Amino acid sequence: MINIVLFGPPGAGKGTQAENLKEKYDLKHISTGDMFRHHIQNQTELGKLAKSYMDKGELVPDEVTIKMLKAKVEEHLDSKGFIFDGFPRTKAQAESLSELMQSKGSQIDAMIALEVPDEVLVERLLERGKTSGRKDDSNEEVIRNRIKVYYEETEVLKEFYKKEDKYYGVNGVGSISEITDRISKVIDSL
Ligand code: AMP
């Protein structure tokens, strides 16, 4: 198995890159944001709960997020590996993910972090908000809060993976295919 955490602030291009990489390497793409949006669309209880956080640009509580993620991994254990997109976002999530992979006789092989300046992120998200139908992309205040939450709660995870010698930073500015090539170089070197 090859398991990648695709990391970076909101708007860094994780989802776009994950779509390319899952085809190229035949990996299962798991996006917790997409899973929550699916629940919201289906008006489930979890969807209602998640929406109350997502609309403000806050994180959904760890307990529910971790439980949902674990169930998804269990469903796809026959895959060649995973691309985790938008998970982990907190230390508790990173620890649970390590334990989960370990319990499956596997591990996270790399955290690949897309590096993009803040002002480019805001621009990209506002642009995406015009067509994505995502409420959290169309309000600049919510966008700035998501970026703030990333720096306050999520960015520390770089240290978590650096300690394990699994951290790889990649320039996230350029064309989609250029960035896919940069990430591929890292994956091919693992
Ligand atoms: P994303 O699609 O990754 O930008 O996520 C959209 C929103 O979903 C985030 O702003 C959070 O409110 C929520 N979310 C997604 N993944 C997580 C996670 N791992 N932990 C907590 N909240 C999350």
Side-chain angles (χ1 to χ4, degrees), residues 30-92:
I30 298 187
S31 155
T32 41
D34 285 351
M35 291 174 75
F36 285 134
R37 282 183 286 277
H38 191 73
H39 276 280
I40 292 172
Q41 220 167 22
N42 291 308
Q43 300 181 337
T44 67
E45 282 305 311
L46 175 58
K48 279 182 213 156
L49 176 86
K51 189 176 187 316
S52 65
Y53 292 92
M54 290 166 78
D55 284 353
K56 292 182 281 187
E58 302 289 342
L59 295 184
V60 179
D62 280 338
E63 201 187 314
V64 280
T65 306
I66 291 168
K67 193 170 158 208
M68 178 179 80
L69 184 281
K70 278 187 178 168
K72 193 68 165 183
V73 168
E74 296 282 351
E75 258 177 55
H76 295 279
L77 282 174
D78 56 341
S79 72
K80 287 190 181 163
F82 296 96
I83 303 175
F84 296 101
D85 156 12
F87 187 98
R89 266 177 154 99
T90 64
K91 192 142 178 273

